[in-house]
Coordinates of all heavy atoms in Angstrom, one line a residue:
M1128 N 0.1 14.1 6.7 CA -0.7 12.9 6.5 C 0.0 11.7 7.1 O -0.6 10.8 7.7 CB -0.9 12.7 5.0 CG -1.7 11.5 4.7 SD -1.9 11.1 3.0 CE -0.8 9.7 2.8
L1129 N 1.3 11.6 6.9 CA 2.1 10.4 7.5 C 2.0 10.4 9.0 O 1.9 9.3 9.6 CB 3.5 10.4 7.0 CG 3.7 10.1 5.5 CD1 5.2 10.3 5.1 CD2 3.2 8.8 5.1
Q1130 N 2.1 11.5 9.7 CA 2.0 11.5 11.1 C 0.6 11.0 11.6 O 0.5 10.3 12.5 CB 2.2 12.9 11.6 CG 3.7 13.3 11.5 CD 3.9 14.8 11.9 OE1 3.0 15.6 11.9 NE2 5.1 15.1 12.5
E1131 N -0.4 11.5 10.9 CA -1.8 11.1 11.3 C -2.0 9.6 10.9 O -2.6 8.9 11.7 CB -2.8 11.9 10.5 CG -4.2 11.7 10.9 CD -4.5 12.0 12.4 OE1 -3.7 12.8 13.1 OE2 -5.5 11.5 13.0
A1132 N -1.5 9.1 9.8 CA -1.6 7.7 9.5 C -0.9 6.9 10.5 O -1.4 5.8 10.9 CB -1.1 7.4 8.0
T1133 N 0.3 7.3 10.9 CA 1.1 6.6 11.9 C 0.3 6.6 13.3 O 0.3 5.5 13.9 CB 2.5 7.2 12.1 OG1 3.1 7.1 10.8 CG2 3.3 6.5 13.1
R1134 N -0.3 7.7 13.6 CA -1.0 7.7 14.9 C -2.2 6.7 14.9 O -2.5 6.1 15.9 CB -1.6 9.1 15.1 CG -2.2 9.4 16.4 CD -2.8 10.8 16.6 NE -3.9 11.0 15.8 CZ -5.2 10.6 16.0 NH1 -5.4 9.8 17.1 NH2 -6.2 10.9 15.2
R1135 N -2.9 6.6 13.7 CA -4.1 5.7 13.7 C -3.7 4.3 13.3 O -4.6 3.5 13.2 CB -5.0 6.3 12.6 CG -5.5 7.7 13.0 CD -6.4 8.2 11.9 NE -6.9 9.5 12.3 CZ -7.7 10.2 11.6 NH1 -8.4 9.7 10.5 NH2 -8.1 11.4 12.0
R1136 N -2.4 4.0 13.1 CA -2.1 2.7 12.7 C -2.4 1.7 13.8 O -2.1 1.9 15.0 CB -0.6 2.6 12.4 CG -0.1 1.3 12.0 CD 1.5 1.3 11.8 NE 2.0 0.0 11.7 CZ 2.2 -0.6 10.5 NH1 2.0 0.0 9.4 NH2 2.7 -1.8 10.5
P1137 N -3.1 0.6 13.5 CA -3.4 -0.5 14.5 C -2.1 -1.1 15.0 O -1.1 -1.1 14.4 CB -4.2 -1.5 13.7 CG -4.6 -0.9 12.5 CD -3.6 0.2 12.2
D1138 N -2.2 -1.7 16.2 CA -1.1 -2.5 16.8 C -0.7 -3.6 15.8 O -1.6 -4.1 15.0 CB -1.5 -3.1 18.1 CG -1.6 -2.0 19.2 OD1 -0.9 -1.0 19.1 OD2 -2.3 -2.3 20.2
E1139 N 0.5 -4.1 15.8 CA 1.0 -5.1 14.9 C 0.1 -6.4 14.9 O -0.2 -6.9 13.9 CB 2.4 -5.5 15.2 CG 3.4 -4.5 14.8 CD 3.6 -4.2 13.3 OE1 3.4 -5.1 12.5 OE2 3.7 -3.0 13.0
D1140 N -0.4 -6.8 16.1 CA -1.2 -8.0 16.2 C -2.7 -7.7 15.6 O -3.4 -8.7 15.5 CB -1.3 -8.5 17.6 CG -1.8 -7.5 18.6 OD1 -1.8 -6.3 18.3 OD2 -2.3 -8.0 19.6
E1141 N -3.0 -6.5 15.4 CA -4.3 -6.1 14.8 C -4.3 -6.0 13.3 O -5.3 -5.8 12.7 CB -4.9 -4.9 15.5 CG -5.1 -5.1 17.0 CD -5.6 -3.8 17.6 OE1 -5.6 -2.8 16.9 OE2 -5.9 -3.8 18.8
L1142 N -3.1 -5.9 12.8 CA -3.0 -5.6 11.3 C -3.4 -6.8 10.4 O -2.8 -7.9 10.7 CB -1.6 -5.2 11.0 CG -1.2 -3.7 11.3 CD1 0.3 -3.5 11.0 CD2 -2.0 -2.7 10.6
P1143 N -4.3 -6.6 9.5 CA -4.6 -7.8 8.7 C -3.5 -7.9 7.6 O -2.8 -6.9 7.3 CB -5.9 -7.3 8.1 CG -5.9 -5.8 8.0 CD -5.1 -5.5 9.2
S1144 N -3.4 -9.1 7.0 CA -2.5 -9.2 5.9 C -3.2 -8.5 4.7 O -4.5 -8.6 4.6 CB -2.2 -10.6 5.5 OG -3.4 -11.3 5.3
L1145 N -2.5 -7.9 3.8 CA -3.1 -7.2 2.7 C -2.8 -8.1 1.5 O -1.7 -8.1 1.0 CB -2.5 -5.8 2.5 CG -2.8 -4.8 3.6 CD1 -2.0 -3.5 3.3 CD2 -4.3 -4.5 3.6
P1146 N -3.9 -8.7 0.9 CA -3.6 -9.5 -0.3 C -3.3 -8.6 -1.5 O -3.9 -7.6 -1.7 CB -5.0 -10.2 -0.6 CG -5.7 -10.1 0.7 CD -5.2 -8.8 1.4
R1147 N -2.2 -8.9 -2.2 CA -1.8 -8.2 -3.5 C -2.5 -8.9 -4.7 O -2.8 -10.1 -4.6 CB -0.4 -8.3 -3.7 CG 0.4 -7.4 -2.9 CD 1.8 -7.3 -3.4 NE 2.6 -8.5 -3.4 CZ 3.5 -8.8 -2.6 NH1 4.0 -7.9 -1.7 NH2 4.2 -9.9 -2.7
S1148 N -2.6 -8.2 -5.7 CA -3.1 -8.8 -6.9 C -2.0 -9.7 -7.5 O -0.8 -9.5 -7.1 CB -3.5 -7.7 -7.9 OG -2.4 -7.0 -8.3
D1149 N -2.3 -10.6 -8.3 CA -1.3 -11.5 -8.9 C -0.6 -10.8 -10.1 O 0.4 -11.3 -10.6 CB -1.9 -12.8 -9.4 CG -2.4 -13.7 -8.2 OD1 -1.8 -13.5 -7.1 OD2 -3.3 -14.5 -8.5
T1150 N -1.1 -9.7 -10.5 CA -0.6 -8.9 -11.7 C 0.3 -7.8 -11.2 O 0.0 -7.1 -10.3 CB -1.7 -8.3 -12.5 OG1 -2.7 -9.3 -12.8 CG2 -1.2 -7.6 -13.7
F1151 N 1.5 -7.7 -11.8 CA 2.4 -6.6 -11.4 C 3.1 -6.2 -12.7 O 3.0 -6.9 -13.7 CB 3.4 -7.1 -10.4 CG 4.3 -8.2 -10.9 CD1 5.5 -7.9 -11.5 CD2 4.0 -9.5 -10.7 CE1 6.3 -9.0 -12.0 CE2 4.8 -10.6 -11.1 CZ 5.9 -10.3 -11.7
A1152 N 3.7 -5.1 -12.7 CA 4.5 -4.6 -13.8 C 5.9 -4.4 -13.4 O 6.2 -3.9 -12.3 CB 3.9 -3.2 -14.3
F1153 N 6.9 -4.8 -14.2 CA 8.3 -4.7 -13.9 C 9.0 -4.5 -15.2 O 8.9 -5.3 -16.1 CB 8.8 -6.0 -13.2 CG 10.2 -5.8 -12.8 CD1 10.7 -4.8 -12.0 CD2 11.2 -6.7 -13.3 CE1 12.0 -4.7 -11.6 CE2 12.5 -6.7 -13.0 CZ 13.0 -5.7 -12.1
D1154 N 9.7 -3.4 -15.3 CA 10.5 -3.1 -16.6 C 12.0 -3.3 -16.4 O 12.8 -2.8 -17.2 CB 10.1 -1.7 -17.1 CG 10.6 -0.6 -16.2 OD1 11.3 -0.9 -15.1 OD2 10.3 0.6 -16.5
G1155 N 12.4 -3.9 -15.3 CA 13.8 -4.1 -15.0 C 14.3 -3.0 -14.0 O 15.3 -3.3 -13.4
D1156 N 13.6 -1.9 -13.9 CA 14.0 -0.9 -12.9 C 12.9 -0.5 -12.0 O 13.1 -0.1 -10.9 CB 14.4 0.4 -13.7 CG 15.7 0.2 -14.5 OD1 16.7 -0.4 -14.1 OD2 15.6 0.6 -15.7
R1157 N 11.7 -0.7 -12.4 CA 10.5 -0.2 -11.6 C 9.5 -1.3 -11.5 O 9.1 -2.0 -12.5 CB 9.9 1.0 -12.4 CG 8.7 1.5 -11.6 CD 8.2 2.8 -12.2 NE 9.2 3.8 -12.3 CZ 9.6 4.4 -13.5 NH1 9.1 4.1 -14.6 NH2 10.5 5.3 -13.5
L1158 N 9.1 -1.6 -10.2 CA 8.1 -2.7 -9.9 C 6.9 -2.0 -9.4 O 7.0 -1.1 -8.5 CB 8.8 -3.6 -8.9 CG 7.8 -4.7 -8.3 CD1 7.4 -5.6 -9.3 CD2 8.6 -5.4 -7.1
I1159 N 5.8 -2.4 -9.9 CA 4.4 -1.8 -9.5 C 3.5 -2.9 -9.3 O 3.3 -3.8 -10.1 CB 3.9 -0.8 -10.6 CG1 4.9 0.3 -10.9 CG2 2.5 -0.3 -10.2 CD1 4.5 1.1 -12.1
W1160 N 2.7 -2.8 -8.2 CA 1.6 -3.8 -7.9 C 0.6 -3.1 -7.1 O 0.8 -2.1 -6.5 CB 2.1 -5.1 -7.4 CG 2.5 -5.1 -5.9 CD1 1.8 -5.0 -4.8 CD2 3.9 -5.2 -5.5 NE1 2.6 -5.0 -3.7 CE2 3.9 -5.1 -4.1 CE3 5.1 -5.3 -6.2 CZ2 5.1 -5.2 -3.3 CZ3 6.2 -5.4 -5.4 CH2 6.2 -5.4 -4.0
E1161 N -0.6 -3.8 -7.1 CA -1.8 -3.2 -6.5 C -2.2 -4.1 -5.3 O -2.2 -5.3 -5.4 CB -2.9 -3.1 -7.5 CG -4.2 -2.6 -6.9 CD -5.4 -2.7 -8.0 OE1 -5.2 -3.4 -9.0 OE2 -6.4 -2.1 -7.7
Y1162 N -2.7 -3.5 -4.3 CA -3.5 -4.1 -3.2 C -5.0 -3.7 -3.5 O -5.3 -2.6 -3.1 CB -3.0 -3.6 -1.8 CG -1.7 -4.0 -1.5 CD1 -0.6 -3.2 -1.8 CD2 -1.4 -5.2 -0.8 CE1 0.7 -3.6 -1.5 CE2 -0.1 -5.5 -0.4 CZ 1.0 -4.7 -0.8 OH 2.2 -5.1 -0.4
P1163 N -5.7 -4.5 -4.2 CA -7.1 -4.1 -4.6 C -8.0 -3.9 -3.4 O -7.9 -4.6 -2.4 CB -7.5 -5.2 -5.6 CG -6.7 -6.3 -5.1 CD -5.4 -5.9 -4.6
R1164 N -9.0 -3.0 -3.6 CA -10.0 -2.8 -2.5 C -10.8 -4.1 -2.3 O -11.0 -4.5 -1.2 CB -10.9 -1.6 -2.9 CG -11.9 -1.3 -1.7 CD -12.8 -0.2 -2.1 NE -13.6 -0.5 -3.3 CZ -14.7 -1.2 -3.4 NH1 -15.2 -1.8 -2.3 NH2 -15.3 -1.4 -4.5
Q1165 N -11.3 -4.6 -3.4 CA -12.1 -5.8 -3.3 C -11.2 -7.1 -3.3 O -10.4 -7.2 -4.2 CB -13.1 -5.9 -4.4 CG -14.2 -4.8 -4.3 CD -15.1 -4.9 -5.5 OE1 -14.7 -5.1 -6.7 NE2 -16.4 -4.7 -5.3
T1166 N -11.5 -8.0 -2.3 CA -10.7 -9.2 -2.2 C -11.6 -10.3 -2.1 O -12.9 -10.1 -1.9 CB -9.8 -9.1 -1.0 OG1 -10.5 -9.2 0.2 CG2 -8.8 -8.0 -1.1
P1167 N -11.2 -11.6 -2.2 CA -12.1 -12.7 -2.0 C -12.8 -12.7 -0.6 O -13.9 -13.2 -0.5 CB -11.2 -14.0 -2.1 CG -10.1 -13.5 -2.9 CD -9.9 -12.1 -2.6
G1168 N -12.2 -12.1 0.4 CA -12.8 -12.0 1.7 C -13.5 -10.6 1.8 O -14.5 -10.4 1.2
D1169 N -13.0 -9.7 2.6 CA -13.6 -8.4 2.8 C -12.9 -7.4 2.0 O -11.9 -7.6 1.4 CB -13.6 -8.0 4.3 CG -14.4 -8.9 5.1 OD1 -15.5 -9.3 4.7 OD2 -13.9 -9.3 6.3
D1170 N -13.5 -6.1 2.0 CA -12.8 -5.0 1.4 C -11.5 -4.7 2.2 O -11.5 -5.1 3.4 CB -13.7 -3.8 1.5 CG -14.7 -3.7 0.4 OD1 -14.7 -4.6 -0.5 OD2 -15.6 -2.8 0.4
Q1171 N -10.6 -4.1 1.6 CA -9.4 -3.7 2.3 C -9.0 -2.3 1.8 O -9.5 -1.8 1.0 CB -8.2 -4.7 2.1 CG -7.7 -4.7 0.6 CD -6.5 -5.7 0.5 OE1 -6.1 -6.3 1.4 NE2 -6.0 -5.7 -0.8
I1172 N -8.0 -1.8 2.6 CA -7.4 -0.5 2.2 C -6.8 -0.7 0.8 O -6.0 -1.7 0.6 CB -6.4 0.0 3.2 CG1 -7.1 0.4 4.5 CG2 -5.7 1.2 2.6 CD1 -6.2 0.8 5.6
D1173 N -7.1 0.2 -0.1 CA -6.6 0.0 -1.5 C -5.3 0.9 -1.7 O -5.3 2.0 -1.4 CB -7.7 0.4 -2.5 CG -8.3 1.8 -2.2 OD1 -8.3 2.2 -1.0 OD2 -8.9 2.4 -3.1
L1174 N -4.3 0.2 -2.1 CA -3.0 0.9 -2.3 C -2.3 0.4 -3.7 O -2.6 -0.7 -4.1 CB -2.0 0.4 -1.2 CG -2.4 0.6 0.3 CD1 -1.3 0.0 1.1 CD2 -2.5 2.1 0.6
V1175 N -1.5 1.3 -4.1 CA -0.6 0.9 -5.2 C 0.8 1.2 -4.8 O 1.1 2.3 -4.3 CB -0.9 1.6 -6.5 CG1 0.2 1.3 -7.6 CG2 -2.3 1.2 -7.1
E1176 N 1.7 0.2 -4.9 CA 3.1 0.4 -4.5 C 4.0 0.5 -5.8 O 3.8 -0.3 -6.6 CB 3.6 -0.7 -3.6 CG 3.1 -0.6 -2.2 CD 3.9 -1.4 -1.2 OE1 5.0 -1.0 -0.8 OE2 3.5 -2.6 -1.0
V1177 N 4.9 1.5 -5.7 CA 5.9 1.6 -6.8 C 7.3 1.6 -6.2 O 7.6 2.4 -5.3 CB 5.6 3.0 -7.6 CG1 6.7 3.1 -8.7 CG2 4.2 3.0 -8.1
M1178 N 8.1 0.7 -6.7 CA 9.5 0.6 -6.2 C 10.4 0.8 -7.3 O 10.2 0.1 -8.4 CB 9.7 -0.7 -5.5 CG 9.1 -0.8 -4.2 SD 9.5 -2.4 -3.5 CE 8.3 -2.6 -2.2
E1179 N 11.4 1.7 -7.2 CA 12.4 1.8 -8.2 C 13.6 1.1 -7.6 O 14.0 1.2 -6.5 CB 12.8 3.2 -8.5 CG 11.6 3.9 -9.2 CD 11.9 5.3 -9.6 OE1 13.0 5.7 -9.8 OE2 10.9 6.0 -9.8
L1180 N 14.2 0.2 -8.5 CA 15.3 -0.7 -8.0 C 16.6 -0.5 -8.7 O 16.6 -0.1 -9.8 CB 14.8 -2.2 -8.2 CG 13.4 -2.6 -7.6 CD1 13.0 -3.9 -8.1 CD2 13.5 -2.5 -6.1
D1181 N 17.7 -0.8 -7.9 CA 19.0 -0.8 -8.5 C 19.5 -2.2 -8.1 O 20.0 -2.4 -7.0 CB 19.8 0.3 -7.9 CG 21.3 0.3 -8.4 OD1 21.6 -0.4 -9.4 OD2 22.1 1.0 -7.9
G1182 N 19.3 -3.2 -9.0 CA 19.7 -4.5 -8.7 C 18.7 -5.0 -7.6 O 17.5 -5.0 -7.8
T1183 N 19.2 -5.5 -6.5 CA 18.3 -5.9 -5.4 C 18.0 -4.8 -4.4 O 17.3 -5.1 -3.4 CB 18.9 -7.1 -4.7 OG1 20.1 -6.7 -4.1 CG2 19.0 -8.3 -5.7
H1184 N 18.5 -3.6 -4.6 CA 18.3 -2.5 -3.7 C 17.1 -1.6 -4.1 O 17.0 -1.2 -5.3 CB 19.5 -1.7 -3.5 CG 20.6 -2.5 -2.8 ND1 21.6 -3.1 -3.6 CD2 20.8 -2.8 -1.6 CE1 22.4 -3.7 -2.8 NE2 22.0 -3.6 -1.5
I1185 N 16.2 -1.2 -3.2 CA 15.2 -0.3 -3.5 C 15.7 1.1 -3.3 O 16.3 1.5 -2.3 CB 14.0 -0.4 -2.4 CG1 13.4 -1.8 -2.5 CG2 12.9 0.6 -2.7 CD1 12.4 -2.2 -1.4
T1186 N 15.7 1.9 -4.4 CA 16.2 3.3 -4.4 C 15.1 4.3 -4.1 O 15.4 5.4 -3.6 CB 17.0 3.6 -5.7 OG1 16.1 3.5 -6.7 CG2 18.2 2.7 -5.9
R1187 N 13.9 4.0 -4.5 CA 12.7 4.8 -4.2 C 11.5 4.0 -4.0 O 11.4 2.9 -4.6 CB 12.4 5.8 -5.4 CG 13.4 6.9 -5.6 CD 13.0 7.8 -6.7 NE 11.9 8.7 -6.2 CZ 11.1 9.4 -6.9 NH1 11.3 9.4 -8.2 NH2 10.2 10.1 -6.5
H1188 N 10.7 4.4 -3.1 CA 9.5 3.6 -2.7 C 8.3 4.5 -2.6 O 8.4 5.5 -1.7 CB 9.7 2.7 -1.5 CG 8.5 1.9 -1.1 ND1 8.2 1.6 0.2 CD2 7.6 1.2 -1.9 CE1 7.1 0.8 0.2 NE2 6.8 0.6 -1.0
R1189 N 7.3 4.4 -3.3 CA 6.1 5.3 -3.2 C 4.8 4.4 -3.0 O 4.8 3.3 -3.6 CB 5.9 6.1 -4.4 CG 7.1 7.0 -4.6 CD 7.1 7.9 -5.9 NE 7.0 7.2 -7.1 CZ 8.0 6.6 -7.8 NH1 9.2 6.6 -7.3 NH2 7.8 6.1 -9.0
I1190 N 3.9 4.9 -2.2 CA 2.6 4.3 -2.0 C 1.6 5.3 -2.4 O 1.5 6.4 -1.9 CB 2.5 3.9 -0.6 CG1 3.6 2.8 -0.2 CG2 1.1 3.2 -0.4 CD1 3.6 2.4 1.3
Y1191 N 0.6 4.9 -3.3 CA -0.5 5.7 -3.7 C -1.7 5.0 -3.0 O -2.0 3.9 -3.2 CB -0.6 5.7 -5.2 CG 0.6 6.4 -5.8 CD1 1.7 5.6 -6.3 CD2 0.7 7.8 -5.9 CE1 2.8 6.2 -6.8 CE2 1.8 8.4 -6.4 CZ 2.9 7.6 -6.9 OH 4.0 8.2 -7.4
W1192 N -2.5 5.9 -2.3 CA -3.7 5.5 -1.6 C -4.9 5.7 -2.4 O -5.0 6.7 -3.1 CB -3.8 6.3 -0.3 CG -2.7 6.1 0.7 CD1 -1.4 6.3 0.6 CD2 -2.9 5.6 2.0 NE1 -0.7 6.0 1.7 CE2 -1.6 5.6 2.6 CE3 -4.0 5.3 2.8 CZ2 -1.4 5.2 4.0 CZ3 -3.8 4.9 4.1 CH2 -2.5 4.9 4.7
G1193 N -5.8 4.8 -2.4 CA -7.1 4.9 -3.1 C -8.1 5.5 -2.2 O -7.8 5.9 -1.0
W1194 N -9.3 5.7 -2.7 CA -10.4 6.3 -1.8 C -10.6 5.7 -0.5 O -10.8 6.4 0.5 CB -11.6 6.6 -2.7 CG -12.4 5.3 -2.9 CD1 -12.2 4.4 -4.0 CD2 -13.4 4.7 -2.1 NE1 -13.1 3.4 -3.9 CE2 -13.8 3.5 -2.7 CE3 -14.0 5.0 -0.9 CZ2 -14.7 2.6 -2.2 CZ3 -14.9 4.1 -0.3 CH2 -15.3 3.0 -1.0
K1195 N -10.6 4.4 -0.4 CA -10.8 3.7 0.8 C -9.7 3.9 1.8 O -9.9 4.1 3.0 CB -11.1 2.2 0.6 CG -11.6 1.5 1.9 CD -12.0 0.1 1.6 CE -12.5 -0.6 2.8 NZ -13.9 -0.4 3.2
G1196 N -8.4 3.9 1.3 CA -7.3 4.2 2.2 C -7.3 5.6 2.7 O -7.1 5.9 3.9
I1197 N -7.6 6.6 1.9 CA -7.7 8.0 2.3 C -8.8 8.1 3.3 O -8.7 8.8 4.4 CB -7.9 8.9 1.1 CG1 -6.7 8.9 0.2 CG2 -8.3 10.3 1.5 CD1 -5.4 9.5 0.9
A1198 N -10.0 7.5 3.1 CA -11.1 7.6 4.0 C -10.7 7.0 5.4 O -11.1 7.5 6.4 CB -12.3 6.9 3.5
H1199 N -9.9 6.0 5.4 CA -9.4 5.5 6.7 C -8.7 6.4 7.5 O -8.8 6.5 8.8 CB -8.5 4.2 6.4 CG -7.9 3.6 7.7 ND1 -8.7 2.8 8.5 CD2 -6.7 3.6 8.1 CE1 -7.9 2.5 9.5 NE2 -6.7 2.9 9.3
I1200 N -7.8 7.2 6.9 CA -7.0 8.2 7.8 C -7.7 9.5 8.0 O -7.2 10.3 8.8 CB -5.6 8.3 7.2 CG1 -5.6 8.9 5.8 CG2 -4.8 7.1 7.2 CD1 -4.3 9.4 5.3
T1201 N -8.8 9.8 7.2 CA -9.4 11.1 7.5 C -10.7 10.9 8.3 O -11.2 12.0 8.7 CB -9.8 11.7 6.1 OG1 -10.6 10.8 5.4 CG2 -8.6 12.0 5.3
T1202 N -11.2 9.7 8.6 CA -12.4 9.6 9.3 C -12.3 8.9 10.6 O -13.2 8.9 11.4 CB -13.5 8.8 8.5 OG1 -13.0 7.5 8.2 CG2 -13.8 9.6 7.2
H1203 N -11.1 8.4 11.0 CA -10.9 7.7 12.3 C -10.5 8.7 13.3 O -9.8 9.6 13.1 CB -10.0 6.5 12.2 CG -10.5 5.4 11.5 ND1 -10.5 5.2 10.1 CD2 -11.2 4.3 12.0 CE1 -11.1 4.1 9.8 NE2 -11.6 3.6 10.9

């Protein structure tokens, strides 16, 4: 999946900024936030990012794709 997503990735100058929601969860070790599908402008690829932190260092980083994100890499 990552190879295919990388192959289909737009050039840097074509990438839109992804608005994040203002709501996030942080318990001192784990930071979670969402890039919602619906935004004030257009729809965007929907993602949730999870980062596990050790102080200011990221020790694990996971991205969960929503249905619109999965459709982007499976239909292009």
